[in-house]
Amino acid sequence: MADAHVKNPPPAIDGNALVSMCLSRVGIDRMFGVVGIPVTSLANRALALGVRFIAFHNEQSAGYAASAYGYLTGRPGVLLTVSGPGCVHGLAGLSNAAANAWPMILISGSSDQSLIGRGDFQELDQVAAVKPFSKFSAKATDITEIPKSVFSVVDWAVAGRPGGTYLDLPTDVLHQTVDESEAERLIAEALKSRDKALIEKPRIDNSKIKKAVELLRSAQRPLIVFGKGAAYAKSENELTKLVESTGIPFLPTPMGKGLLSDKHELAATAARSLAIGKCDVALVVGARLNWLLHFGEPPKWSKDVKFIIVDVCEEEIELRKPFSGILGDATEVVGMIHKEIKDDPFCLGKTHPWVEAVRNKGKDNVAKMEVQLSKVVVPFNFLTPMKIIRDAILGVGSPAPVVVSEGANTMDVGRSVLVQTEPRTRLDAGTWGTMGVGLGYCIAAAVASPDRLVVAVEGDSGFGFSAMEVETLVRYQLPVVVIVFNNGGVYGGDRRNPDEITGPYKDDPAPTSFVPGAAYHILIEAFGGKGYLAGTPDELKSALAESFSARKPAVINVTIDPYAGAESGRLQHKN
Ligand code: ADP
């Protein structure tokens, strides 16, 4: 019989609970993933501690969600997976985070340490497997190592250039226990020994600021280019002040769109070729001179252009060999440049020949595009539905919807037609050109910004990668409307020459083809969401009006002419 005077011992904390305590202690409040052996309890413990766990069907989508969540919030997105194959599926998300420079942590359960090398259930050397995509990896080999391991993967994910990190949690460690006071002691000790150098931002060299200001001041045709590094750094206020006080035209990269509105009179988006081809000084903030910016080289850029690159990553600056490089956080650097100019201000003004040239070219191009957009083409080409969608998104007002975009033609056309008016409201295939990110990004955006509608505009091929996650949308009742441009395949119809269609499998569908007329809208209805089929402007307008005001999970299946658009979108020379 129990002795009524003996108190029950405090509940033991197991590895699952300790990981969850550590994550919530450093402000991790969301996790994405797929549960199973050995991490189901970890998800449950985290939920009990107030960390929202969004359960997916596939780690690939959950990983894309975690990467985008890190970008949108500035706090690392966490992907939780099972061991072996779960970890391997998660590599898609981790690699995407690495390529885009977004902070993310992959946490995977792993085999019992005593069974390694003997063919344990889902056994894999996961630390080795993640290596190409992880800035830093930690394996907790004992419960006492959990706090330090958790805090270091969190700190490394956001340190310097953000990226992916990895935490390996063996099954036996997750089942080990410590008592509550020991858990608290371990956490306190690990918090104290966090590497401060990782969290500190680089000191900005003031002489570089002065040099940048002199260059901008003396330039004939200056341009300010900014990318998703500046969006991540939340530089919108500083960039707006700099642009508006100097009158220098600006050019955002695709995901930089919205830091300043696309409708701003100094936006050079519609005059991109002229702006990059003719500028003599380009201040590039949080954007790499990689394929997306034509490597900063002729023929797209002038051979004499002087680049001033602002980046948190020293290696990036060294790699590009700019005229001047400023190491530092985008918001701080742009703020310092603006302050330096304020002491001796200059402004190009509306009648400056360069400003006028960019504005006139932009107006011209917009007018030409509007002529194309005003044609009502049915069966739909890409432009007719894109215009209707653009107007519906603009009609939502503020807070503006987050637009998720992927697909070859759908993304290319969407980038020039859809209008971004607020920061971090565009997520697309990004630096890596990753297809299949759509549903994961939608879920991340809805979770990160619950006040915003999320609208995906994607091709049927992109949608297919993660279409099952429409069930996840419905399960969590997320305000996401997925618009599928359905042209029956990758790039649409069969574009092979007749002489290519030979051999024993010539009667098979083309590698680019899907089932024609696929009823993607019915897919979401299987789970209780709302589906629409739209083949005419009226059908599309009414589906958009109803689904945008309902703010419930919906799929709009838009029938597109399979021969509209081009194979490989705008990258035909690469295919
Ligand atoms: P985009 O695709 O929009 O051109 P990239 O992903 O190529 O943008 O480049 C983003 C750059 O921003 C990376 O080189 C990254 O190191 C840098 N970056 C990330 N965070 C910051 C920050 N806080 N301040 C300055 N640069 C940053």
Side-chain angles (χ1 to χ4, degrees):
M1 210 176 124
D3 180 344
H5 299 289
V6 177
K7 276 197 189 156
N8 285 333
I13 306 287
D14 69 359
N16 293 299
L18 188 54
V19 172
S20 311
M21 287 164 74
C22 294
L23 287 171
S24 77
R25 214 54 75 85
V26 286
I28 300 290
D29 55 0
R30 302 283 186 275
M31 259 201 237
F32 305 86
V34 178
V35 294
I37 295 170
V39 297
T40 312
S41 300
L42 204 167
N44 288 331
R45 303 265 196 284
L47 265 171
L49 283 174
V51 179
R52 191 176 193 198
F53 183 81
I54 308 292
F56 279 67
H57 288 268
N58 187 314
E59 294 92 350
Q60 182 175 318
S61 286
Y64 292 147
S67 65
Y69 187 81
Y71 167 64
L72 292 171
T73 63
R75 294 191 304 276
V78 176
L79 167 65
L80 181 67
T81 81
V82 303
S83 38
C87 173
V88 169
H89 293 174
L91 292 182
L94 197 68
S95 55
N96 193 55
N100 284 314
W102 292 348
M104 170 187 164
I105 304 166
L106 168 62
I107 302 181
S108 298
S110 61
S111 292
D112 196 305
Q113 293 177 92
S114 64
L115 300 173
I116 283 175
R118 297 166 59 197
D120 190 23
F121 173 68
Q122 298 188 332
E123 183 185 329
L124 173 73
D125 182 349
Q126 296 170 191
V127 173
V130 304
K131 201 157 182 223
F133 310 116
S134 172
K135 284 169 79 180
F136 174 86
S137 298
K139 178 171 182 134
T141 59
D142 186 88
I143 190 168
T144 55
E145 294 173 8
I146 285 178
K148 188 172 170 23
S149 305
V150 171
F151 300 146
S152 36
V153 292
V154 170
D155 291 342
W156 271 95
V158 291
R161 170 182 279 170
T165 61
Y166 175 63
L167 175 60
D168 193 284
L169 298 170
T171 306
D172 48 307
V173 173
L174 290 172
H175 295 160
Q176 278 181 292
T177 58
V178 288
D179 66 32
E180 212 175 327
S181 63
E182 175 64 356
E184 287 300 343
R185 192 190 66 74
L186 290 167
I187 291 174
E189 196 174 89
L191 280 173
K192 237 193 287 164
S193 65
R194 274 170 97 177
D195 185 349
K196 302 273 182 316
L198 282 181
I199 315 169
E200 277 163 16
K201 290 181 176 169
R203 207 186 59 79
I204 297 159
D205 181 344
N206 207 38
S207 67
K208 298 267 176 105
I209 300 288
K210 287 188 190 305
K211 186 174 171 188
V213 169
E214 279 326 302
L215 271 169
L216 289 171
R217 192 189 297 282
S218 58
Q220 302 295 307
R221 296 175 304 282
L223 181 69
I224 300 176
V225 178
F226 48 81
K228 59 185 181 298
Y232 172 77
K234 301 191 169 63
S235 306
E236 51 269 21
N237 294 337
E238 286 68 18
L239 281 167
T240 304
K241 281 188 215 153
L242 180 63
V243 164
E244 291 183 349
S245 65
T246 58
I248 298 176
F250 68 88
L251 180 73
T253 67
M255 276 198 248
K257 268 157 73 79
L259 282 181
L260 276 90
S261 170
D262 285 341
K263 295 180 179 172
H264 195 288
E265 58 177 355
L266 288 165
T269 320
R272 188 176 189 272
S273 298
L274 174 83
I276 67 175
K278 291 274 189 292
C279 68
D280 59 354
V281 172
L283 173 68
V284 180
V285 185
R288 283 168 278 187
L289 292 178
N290 59 13
W291 67 280
L292 278 162
L293 285 172
H294 316 288
F295 307 100
E297 287 170 353
K300 296 282 187 179
W301 295 81
S302 140
K303 70 175 178 24
D304 301 320
V305 59
K306 295 186 172 93
F307 285 111
I308 309 164
I309 293 187
V310 178
D311 207 292
V312 273
C313 177
E314 200 159 8
E315 291 78 15
E316 180 64 27
I317 294 173
E318 281 165 10
L319 172 72
R320 308 295 172 189
K321 299 186 180 48
F323 190 81
S324 179
I326 310 178
L327 180 67
D329 174 70
T331 306
E332 284 181 35
V333 173
V334 176
M336 285 170 76
I337 292 177
H338 176 244
K339 199 157 163 265
E340 179 73 25
I341 290 175
K342 245 171 73 184
D343 293 340
D344 181 11
F346 70 91
C347 182
L348 302 187
K350 282 190 179 144
T351 54
H352 188 284
W354 171 237
V355 176
E356 224 168 30
V358 171
R359 188 177 55 239
N360 290 344
K361 184 73 187 162
K363 270 191 182 158
D364 240 38
N365 285 346
V366 167
K368 278 188 200 143
M369 177 62 105
E370 284 305 318
V371 170
Q372 295 305 316
L373 288 169
S374 66
K375 293 179 188 157
V376 177
V377 179
V378 181
F380 278 150
N381 60 2
F382 284 85
L383 290 174
T384 298
M386 202 63 88
K387 176 186 186 296
I388 296 170
I389 293 164
R390 176 193 72 180
D391 295 345
I393 291 174
L394 281 172
V396 172
S398 187
V402 176
V403 172
V404 174
S405 184
E406 64 174 329
N409 292 291
T410 310
M411 188 170 68
D412 288 347
V413 174
R415 188 172 45 244
S416 46
V417 175
L418 300 177
V419 179
Q420 244 66 47
T421 56
E422 294 179 14
R424 292 168 295 284
T425 55
R426 180 182 168 87
L427 294 168
D428 65 25
T431 304
W432 230 24
T434 318
M435 292 295 148
V437 289
L439 272 283
Y441 282 5
C442 286
I443 293 166
V447 169
S449 318
D451 56 331
R452 291 186 192 268
L453 176 69
V454 180
V455 181
V457 186
E458 51 178 341
D460 49 346
S461 162
F463 175 68
F465 280 84
S466 58
M468 193 62 187
E469 303 299 346
V470 295
E471 188 276 338
T472 313
L473 298 182
V474 176
R475 190 165 14 106
Y476 290 98
Q477 281 297 299
L478 300 173
V480 175
V481 177
V482 182
I483 304 167
V484 181
F485 274 45
N486 184 357
N487 61 358
V490 183
Y491 312 127
D494 186 355
R495 288 182 167 83
R496 292 173 296 177
N497 292 323
D499 61 3
E500 284 182 288
I501 309 174
T502 56
Y505 304 109
K506 67 178 172 43
D507 295 327
D508 270 1
T512 52
S513 297
F514 297 150
V515 167
Y520 294 121
H521 54 295
I522 296 191
L523 202 61
I524 194 167
E525 296 199 334
F527 309 110
K530 182 79 187 156
Y532 302 87
L533 178 63
T536 65
D538 284 346
E539 285 166 356
L540 181 56
K541 282 180 195 164
S542 117
L544 290 167
E546 191 177 302
S547 60
F548 281 15
S549 68
R551 296 201 167 218
K552 297 264 186 228
V555 169
I556 305 177
N557 185 9
V558 183
T559 309
I560 305 283
D561 175 354
Y563 291 95
E567 185 164 302
S568 309
R570 71 183 175 90
L571 294 179
Q572 287 169 48
H573 60 291
K574 290 196 184 278
N575 205 344

